Amino acid sequence: MALFRIEENERLENIKELSFKLEKDIQSLTEKNLIGVFGLEFVKSEFSLNNFRIDTLAFDRDARSFVIIEYKRDKNFSVIDQGYAYLSLMLNNKADFILEFNENTSETLKRNDVDWSQSRVIFISPSFTTYQKEAINFKDLPIELWEIKRYNNRTVNYNQIKTSGAQESVKTISREDKTIEKVTKEIKVYTENDHINNGNTETQELYEKLKEGITNLDDNISFHAKKQTIGFKIEESIFLDVVILAKSLKMYLNLKSGELQDEKGVARDVSNVGHWGNGSYEIKMNDTENLEYILSLIKQSLKKNKNNVG
């Protein structure tokens, strides 16, 4: 798709794409901006283990899991084979990954502090082949493809390659590959439907109405299913976590204690109470009676986290 810059007199000037000469250029740019682009914490560059070299090791604070990032300019590689080889390396050497985290950050992790079932691999490249894009067309694949484009107006774009409504499970091919089979037994990719199925019919309908209201607040909202919650994001910052229970919904606003203006007192401060989602405020929802007001509270969290992106 051609991009243009509007000049004087509404004249359009073409914005040209600039190629990356080296994978290292993509790596350096990404590592310096991991939080802003992916919401991930940088751990280590060029992490070597058992004849493998991981380009970037990162940590997902929300999912409490490690993320391996690889950069590719060469199109002749299998995303499935390489992705599962890296995941197998991680699951077979958990102590080494934890040690690397502890040596390179100010925090100390223990093995039980990590949710290994949420581990994933991200491949970043200027482009992927049609075959590579089709290879990730599974609903539960712990592998992501991101295309990066750089332009002559000092603009960079990261775009995730989405699966085309995949319904087939990667387990259908795991029996043919021992590495995939072993990794699949330990890693679980959660979907929105996994959470929706927890609720009864009324709760499922309530969630759909809430979701519709949320996505209408901003054109850039996306959502990501995690183990315990469905996280709603503005770019890569989670502003709301939703938990679908049998007969109700629980929501967690990603705001610190004292930041929410709640005249009706709908939200509960849970900053000193253990809970799954981000932030200090919990809202329980059983019906649509206060939907518009709840959306106004959610909008506060949306605005706050949108301003914090980058």
Side-chain angles (χ1 to χ4, degrees), residues 55-253:
D55 290 340
T56 302
L57 180 62
F59 192 75
D60 186 333
R61 185 69 57 179
D62 293 322
R64 297 186 298 111
S65 61
F66 285 103
V67 180
I68 293 171
I69 304 176
E70 289 292 307
Y71 311 92
K72 300 291 185 182
R73 290 186 71 255
D74 177 18
K75 296 181 181 180
N76 297 319
F77 71 99
S78 168
V79 295
I80 296 292
D81 291 344
Q82 289 198 23
Y84 274 95
Y86 287 126
L87 291 170
S88 178
L89 175 75
M90 180 188 298
L91 296 178
N92 289 329
N93 299 276
K94 295 176 181 177
D96 294 278
F97 279 78
I98 290 175
L99 178 62
E100 204 64 38
F101 180 95
N102 292 343
E103 289 184 346
N104 289 281
T105 71
S106 58
E107 184 181 348
T108 300
L109 277 181
K110 297 179 181 179
R111 183 177 293 223
N112 292 335
D113 292 332
V114 180
D115 186 350
W116 301 98
S117 72
Q118 296 294 280
S119 306
R120 57 193 166 109
V121 175
I122 295 175
F123 289 105
I124 301 176
S125 174
S127 64
F128 293 96
T129 65
T130 301
Y131 178 79
Q132 289 168 332
K133 293 176 182 179
E134 287 296 323
I136 66 164
N137 202 27
F138 296 96
K139 64 179 182 180
D140 51 1
L141 193 70
I143 298 171
E144 298 175 8
L145 305 186
W146 289 74
E147 286 187 338
I148 180 172
K149 303 292 183 183
R150 180 172 60 172
Y151 302 94
N152 64 348
N153 66 339
R154 298 184 61 80
T155 299
V156 174
N157 178 53
Y158 289 83
N159 179 54
Q160 184 178 3
I161 305 300
K162 298 287 188 178
T163 58
S164 55
Q167 297 297 320
E168 189 174 8
S169 170
V170 71
K171 293 179 181 178
T172 59
I173 66 170
S174 66
R175 292 184 295 272
E176 303 171 7
D177 189 297
K178 294 299 181 182
T179 299
I180 295 178
E181 184 178 23
K182 184 175 180 180
V183 171
T184 301
K185 288 180 179 179
E186 189 161 349
I187 291 181
K188 163 71 174 174
V189 179
Y190 290 87
T191 67
E192 186 184 27
N193 283 335
D194 289 326
H195 293 280
I196 290 176
N197 291 336
N198 291 332
N200 60 25
T201 302
E202 291 77 14
T203 306
Q204 292 173 358
E205 292 179 356
L206 183 61
Y207 170 74
E208 291 299 335
K209 290 179 180 178
L210 173 68
K211 178 183 174 182
E212 181 181 4
I214 293 171
T215 52
N216 285 334
L217 295 176
D218 193 291
D219 291 336
N220 295 314
I221 291 174
S222 62
F223 60 91
H224 175 64
K226 299 178 290 181
K227 187 173 185 177
Q228 306 292 358
T229 70
I230 301 173
F232 285 79
K233 295 182 175 182
I234 182 67
E235 299 191 13
E236 286 303 314
S237 180
I238 291 180
F239 64 91
L240 176 74
D241 285 292
V242 177
V243 179
I244 302 178
L245 302 174
K247 297 182 179 180
S248 65
L249 304 177
K250 278 189 178 180
M251 290 163 277
Y252 297 94
L253 304 180

Side-chain angles (χ1 to χ4, degrees), residues 47-53 88-89 92-93 96:
F47 173 39
S48 295
L49 181 65
N50 295 357
N51 297 320
F52 282 83
R53 184 184 59 83
S88 178
L89 175 75
N92 289 329
N93 299 276
D96 294 278

